[in-house]
Amino acid sequence: MYKVKVYVTLKESVLDPQGNAVKNSLHSLSYNEVEEVRIGKYMELTIGGSTENVEKRIEEMCERLLANTVIEDYRYEIEEVVSQ
Amino acid sequence: MKFAVIVFPGSNCDVDMYHAIADELGEEASYVRFDETSLEGFDAVLLPGGFSYGDYLRSGAIARFAPIMKEVIKAAEAGKPVLGVCNGFQILLEAGLLPGAMKRNDRLKFMCRPVELIVENNQTLFTNGYEKNEVITVPIAHGEGNYYCDEKTLKELEESNRIAFRYQSNPNGSVADIAGITNKEGNVLGMMPHPERAVDRLLGSNDGLKLFKSILHNWREAYVTQA
């Protein structure tokens, strides 16, 4: 079994309206050191069995559904979970 | 002319779309569920607005893989008119039938009001009933209508005259004031404003009706030529 953590964020080149609003709010709380906020999504996938090509299939899932690569970047971490 | 109105779980402008075709345009319309697998016999496909699959993950991201979408893509490839409004536009973007993507409105608010649009290209099968640069009033109702594409794509859209409508006063931060675009072949149109909600003066505007009349006019021309 694998546990996969997928992170999706807007690309660097794409303005993030939500991130901007949160940054302004942090500034209004006097956290002036905050230079940028990027808001993204975090997903946890549990992959059953002894699936082969886990990485290739996760990559495919990200490209086809989990991220929209026109505006988003993604990265993931794959952890093997030993069942007890 | 026979129009298919696609209904996804969470569509909520399907009835307005049906009304625009059946009662205002006076043509045949049928609802087609997201899980059906045929669009045989239909001359045009309409993807209505709403919140398909609750907008989970991204607007249109899950609807794009609904069984009926294979047939919508086939219809588009066969040159049939395919119109996506609001969530329907978002689905067309996710399906790759149109380039670009939608972001949250720049002011992060759901905008719901009539806006003025400029008819940028009146040479499409959806807009031939309008004058070029005609200003029309059509309502918007969206939280994610901030159209984005990279500079290369924008240049391509502009050079090949694929921007059908622009906002006169940009409500959502959309790149180059884009309100609606067509595909390369010109038979797929995606737009955020709702022409189906502007088909009767009693409700504020009937400027949207010309869009449906254009589709019908174009179809009749083609039919008469073939016959």
Side-chain angles (χ1 to χ4, degrees), chain B residues 2-43:
Chain B
K2 211 171 160 193
F3 291 79
V5 177
I6 311 294
V7 184
F8 296 98
S11 293
N12 65 13
C13 299
D14 42 341
V15 179
D16 302 69
M17 200 64 105
Y18 184 96
H19 167 75
I21 300 301
D23 304 324
E24 301 292 339
L25 187 66
E27 293 294 314
E28 210 179 319
S30 298
Y31 295 115
V32 177
R33 276 172 57 105
F34 69 102
D35 55 356
E36 290 186 41
T37 51
S38 169
L39 281 171
E40 222 187 295
F42 289 103
D43 304 301

Side-chain angles (χ1 to χ4, degrees), chain A residues 14-15 41 65-66 68 71, chain B residues 57-58 94 103-104 148:
Chain A
V14 176
L15 272 177
K41 293 174 196 141
L65 180 62
L66 302 182
N68 179 339
I71 47 171
Chain B
L57 193 61
R58 291 181 309 278
E94 284 285 341
K103 296 195 299 170
R104 287 280 294 274
Y148 173 86

